């Protein structure tokens, strides 16, 4: 049977969603859960680029190597292929809804809606921030990954 699949989506696919992908891969591996994980962006400026060096550093500090990730833009097929498409902030959720094809099968939602007390919130864009902002992103996406692992465990 096909494992459950989750796509994380932010704006550039170089700061936040690669960290969401990394945190989920790491949490699932630790829990021994088989899940297909990927990330994408609603924007196209960074397509083909590796993650932001500050995201690479934050993940590396947790023992997760994301230097081989490459940014891509979300595409129509993603809404059929993935079980869940999770936006990192409300604006990206609106942008996803706007491009979701009519035959969308995925459940499209907001990542932090999963985390108790954080419903409706976005993971703050750290692009113009500092290392501490990237640490905050890691904390947010790890909290969501822990909830997702709990859900997938059943
Ligand atoms: P991300 O961060 O959406 O978390 O990957 C950003 C990356 C690039 C830009 C904005 C946010 N940008 O404006 O180029």
């Amino acid at each position: 049977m096909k494992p459950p699949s989750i796509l994380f989506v932010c704006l550039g696919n170089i700061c936040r969603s690669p960290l969401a992908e990394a945190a989920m891969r790491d949490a699932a591996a630790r829990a021994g859960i088989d899940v297909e994980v990927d990330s994408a962006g609603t924007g196209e400026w960074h397509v083909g680029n590796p993650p932001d060096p500050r995201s690479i550093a934050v993940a590396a500090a947790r023992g997760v190597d994301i230097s081989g990730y490459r940014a891509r833009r979300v595409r129509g097929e993603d809404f059929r292929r993935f079980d869940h498409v999770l936006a990192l902030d409300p604006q990206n959720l609106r942008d996803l809804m706007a491009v979701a094809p009519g035959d969308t099968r995925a459940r499209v939602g907001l990542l932090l809606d999963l985390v108790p007390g954080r419903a409706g919130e976005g993971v703050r864009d750290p692009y113009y921030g500092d290392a501490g902002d990237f640490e905050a992103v890691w904390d947010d996406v790890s909290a969501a990954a822990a909830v997702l692992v709990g859900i997938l465990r059943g």
Side-chain angles (χ1 to χ4, degrees), residues 49-115:
N49 292 348
D52 187 287
R54 298 165 294 179
S55 282
I56 293 176
V58 162
R62 274 81 181 177
V64 186
D65 178 13
I66 65 168
S67 62
Y69 290 13
R70 292 295 178 268
R72 72 172 180 87
R73 195 173 195 187
V74 70
R75 47 184 176 253
E77 175 201 328
D78 290 323
F79 295 88
R80 294 182 284 271
R81 195 160 78 79
F82 289 89
D83 299 320
H84 299 274
V85 176
L86 295 174
L88 274 279
D89 69 31
Q91 183 59 54
N92 283 300
L93 178 60
R94 287 190 286 275
D95 292 343
L96 279 174
M97 295 299 202
V99 299
D103 59 350
T104 290
R105 193 184 59 84
R107 292 185 182 193
V108 183
L110 187 65
L111 182 73
L112 287 180
D113 276 355
L114 291 165
V115 180

